[in-house]
Amino acid sequence: MKADSLKLPAPDSYDVAVLALFVRVSDRKGNVDVPAEQAALAEQVFKSGKPVVTVGFGSPYLIERFPQAETWLAAFGISDVAQISVARALFGEIPVKGHLPVTIPGVEMKAGFGMEVPASPMKLQPMEARAEAQLQPAYDVVEKAVADKAFPGATLAVGYRGKVTIHAFGKLRYDAKAAAVVPSTMYDIASLTKVVATTTLVAKLLEGDFPVGLDLDAKVERYLPEWTATRESAQGLQSSFHENAKDLEWRRRVTVRHLLTHTSGLPPFKEYWRTSTSKEETLRRIFVEPLDYEPGTKEVYSDLGIILMAEIIERLTGHKLDDLAHSFVFCAAGHDRHNVQAGKKTLALDCANRDG
């Protein structure tokens, strides 16, 4: 979408605007500026009458182009790291301590200029009783769901303009003797780990964050040779293995991308947990599980495909998925304390004690 086709929201619909300007700078080449249509859009933002925080990515010389900007935050780059750091600084999670290494012509900013702002993480305040009373219709919906046994219990958090309330409903189980849910109850996020942990780690492999990379279009058997298992390698699982030429031909066509997009042909789920005694046994069962359909022809949500994806990640990196998720996902995202389910054990992890 072009800048000149954007329609800005009405000034009375927001409290403050964050205007981010990006420019790629080549060493001693060209001028530092933004396209005319983008500059015109920026001018509209400044004329809104609302406070504007202007962020310059790539070069501090962008400040010269907009002297009317009263609040500037400059980052010497446009990388993901720079963008994340700016967001964290804006919300007070990290301090601002940088100073200009150059003098900006046209404005009163000389080399060494810079305001140091200490970290001041945002803190939510408890919601007043009057405001919470207005949430009673929402509470009634959740309470009815508990009474109808849609789920045994729940925790609802509502935040609005810096105020938050957390309300607990029901019990942890349907058992009459089960403990009641409390505001601090922690829940297993279950299948969200597929996108929060596993898929995020795949993205990091693709972006080169690990010494070894990942090819989405590579055949699964490249990373998991057991995937195209023969009857002889089924290791006691012959009863569940079908020596089927078509199935074997399909298996050899399955790629990593098929696993991620749930188009591999694997069934949605199997109750391996009832009889499997180890992770290795579960994997062996998946390796010989017949495909339900030709790869790439359907999209069928499959737990089995993501289990294989997790195994590929572990083999490529040499580290367990829970350790990787702890270090590269949860701690990196600021979740300082979290639990990770490792087999039948729940590990309470603290980012203050992370390794690497």
Side-chain angles (χ1 to χ4, degrees):
M1 181 178 289
K2 294 184 178 180
D4 55 7
S5 65
L6 291 175
K7 183 178 180 181
L8 295 176
D12 59 1
S13 66
Y14 62 89
D15 298 317
V16 62
V18 177
L19 176 64
L21 303 171
F22 290 76
V23 61
R24 291 181 181 274
V25 180
S26 297
D27 188 24
R28 293 179 292 277
K29 294 181 181 178
N31 299 318
V32 176
D33 202 354
V34 295
E37 67 272 13
Q38 294 182 19
L41 182 67
E43 296 289 352
Q44 291 184 49
V45 176
F46 290 127
K47 292 177 180 178
S48 68
K50 288 298 184 73
V52 180
V53 177
T54 310
V55 182
F57 288 99
S59 171
Y61 289 106
L62 281 170
I63 299 173
E64 182 183 6
R65 179 66 176 77
F66 302 100
Q68 70 271 51
E70 297 182 353
T71 303
W72 268 96
L73 182 60
F76 291 82
I78 61 174
S79 66
D80 291 347
V81 172
Q83 294 178 47
I84 292 171
S85 296
V86 164
R88 296 187 67 197
L90 287 173
F91 285 92
E93 293 184 6
I94 58 175
V96 177
K97 298 188 294 184
H99 294 264
L100 285 173
V102 295
T103 295
I104 309 299
V107 293
E108 295 183 4
M109 292 186 181
K110 296 183 178 181
F113 177 83
M115 297 176 58
E116 295 196 9
V117 181
S120 180
M122 297 177 67
K123 295 181 180 179
L124 294 172
Q125 300 298 322
M127 188 175 291
E128 293 87 354
R130 180 178 179 181
E132 186 167 359
Q134 295 179 312
L135 296 174
Q136 190 56 51
Y139 295 161
D140 291 342
V141 171
V142 181
E143 288 171 349
K144 184 177 187 304
V146 172
D148 292 343
K149 294 191 174 181
F151 39 80
T155 305
L156 176 66
V158 179
Y160 183 67
R161 294 193 172 184
K163 303 295 180 67
V164 66
T165 182
I166 303 176
H167 201 81
F169 306 83
K171 298 184 177 182
L172 296 179
R173 297 182 304 278
Y174 287 115
D175 182 356
K177 296 182 180 180
V181 174
V182 296
S184 59
T185 294
M186 295 182 68
Y187 291 90
D188 178 4
I189 62 174
S191 286
L192 282 178
T193 56
K194 292 183 176 70
V195 290
V196 174
T198 307
T199 305
T200 302
L201 290 170
V202 168
K204 287 187 168 293
L205 279 165
L206 294 174
E207 292 172 353
D209 289 3
F210 295 96
V212 61
L214 174 68
D215 182 356
L216 290 182
D217 295 311
K219 300 296 190 290
V220 169
E221 62 181 325
R222 170 178 167 182
Y223 301 111
L224 305 173
E226 306 96 317
W227 173 244
T228 50
T230 62
R231 182 181 294 277
E232 288 70 27
S233 63
Q235 298 187 32
L237 299 174
Q238 286 86 351
S239 60
S240 62
F241 183 75
H242 298 276
E243 194 73 73
N244 184 304
K246 179 178 287 188
D247 183 79
L248 186 58
E249 190 270 329
W250 282 357
R251 300 179 85 80
R252 286 175 173 161
R253 288 162 47 189
V254 177
T255 66
V256 175
R257 192 182 299 274
H258 285 139
L259 297 181
L260 280 172
T261 57
H262 300 275
T263 57
S264 66
L266 282 166
F269 71 95
K270 291 288 180 177
E271 295 183 341
Y272 298 132
W273 57 272
R274 292 186 180 277
T275 56
S276 182
T277 59
S278 66
K279 168 191 169 183
E280 291 70 26
E281 182 178 342
T282 297
L283 285 170
R284 287 200 302 271
R285 292 180 180 276
I286 300 176
F287 290 147
V288 298
E289 189 67 55
L291 300 185
D292 284 351
Y293 58 91
E294 182 179 359
T297 61
K298 292 182 181 181
E299 183 178 316
V300 179
Y301 185 89
S302 174
D303 291 339
L304 310 191
I306 300 300
I307 291 174
L308 293 184
M309 194 68 251
E311 179 65 11
I312 290 174
I313 293 171
E314 291 192 349
R315 292 193 187 186
L316 282 175
T317 63
H319 296 281
K320 292 187 176 298
L321 191 77
D322 54 316
D323 292 334
L324 293 168
H326 171 59
S327 296
F328 293 96
V329 179
F330 298 116
C331 289
H335 295 281
D336 294 335
R337 297 179 65 84
H338 48 274
N339 291 349
V340 173
Q341 192 74 24
K344 295 183 178 180
K345 296 181 179 179
T346 299
L347 307 177
L349 302 176
D350 185 342
C351 291
N353 298 319
R354 63 179 291 192
D355 296 322

